[in-house]
Amino acid sequence: MAFYEKQLAVKEPLVVAGRHVKRYEVVTPGLEITDDIRDAAYAFLPQIYPDFEDPTPPATVTVLHRSAAGMYLNAYNWVWDNVLHCRTAVSGDQPFLGSTDPDLTHFTVIPKDLIGCVWELPPLAHERTAWVRHVLEPDTPDFEGYLGDVMAEGLVGR
């Protein structure tokens, strides 16, 4: 498989089912993420939130990724103050990941323990540093500062 850069975009944060969601999108050259896919992904998102109570500020980082094979929705949820909980969903005809519906708006949870691919992981390095800088290090956590601190848009993968 040849490596090539993909485009990273940053979308405005949302609050979805009580969690503050920082949103990144990764797109394969020549493809796009349409509003109907975006809407379906964020409607599905609460299904991949942590399934336990936690006092950590309710923050999630998503990477919505459009590839030639389909769509991926990675949800990285801050829990236990300093831990990322990860669940991923998929849409498109990708039977090896549990999705057999070619409709890119029909997401399902990936039943495998996956964290993300080389194009989806770069935002996590930024998010880890931003969480430490704004939430863990200060005497008074700056949750709003964390929500506003995002990785720059542009090519991603290296």
Side-chain angles (χ1 to χ4, degrees):
M1 171 186 239
F3 179 82
Y4 53 91
E5 294 280 357
K6 295 187 179 189
Q7 190 67 38
L8 176 75
V10 178
K11 299 299 181 185
E12 288 295 316
L14 299 173
V15 176
V16 179
R19 292 188 72 87
H20 296 267
V21 181
K22 292 175 75 172
R23 303 185 304 150
Y24 294 96
E25 292 184 355
V26 173
V27 180
T28 298
L31 299 176
E32 67 177 325
I33 299 175
T34 57
D35 286 340
D36 61 330
I37 294 171
R38 223 175 256 115
D39 292 346
Y42 289 99
F44 189 86
L45 181 61
Q47 295 181 55
I48 53 178
Y49 281 166
D51 55 3
F52 52 88
E53 294 294 319
D54 180 70
T56 304
T60 296
V61 177
T62 61
V63 178
L64 185 59
H65 180 181
R66 175 74 192 268
S67 78
M71 293 297 307
Y72 309 95
L73 174 62
N74 300 329
Y76 305 103
N77 307 283
W78 285 107
V79 298
W80 302 330
D81 294 328
N82 58 15
V83 174
L84 276 176
H85 165 279
C86 177
R87 283 207 182 118
T88 306
V90 62
S91 67
D93 189 16
Q94 300 181 74
F96 64 99
L97 293 176
S99 180
T100 57
D101 187 338
D103 187 333
L104 296 180
T105 65
H106 293 170
F107 284 86
T108 188
V109 175
I110 292 178
K112 299 181 184 313
D113 297 328
L114 304 174
I115 296 169
C117 73
V118 296
W119 295 282
E120 298 161 352
L121 294 177
L124 288 186
H126 175 88
E127 292 300 323
R128 179 250 176 229
T129 302
W131 188 259
V132 169
R133 181 174 42 253
H134 296 289
V135 177
L136 298 180
E137 282 183 337
D139 291 336
T140 302
D142 179 10
F143 190 59
E144 291 302 316
Y146 167 73
L147 294 175
D149 187 340
V150 295
M151 185 175 170
E153 294 185 329
L155 294 177
V156 67
R158 292 208 186 262

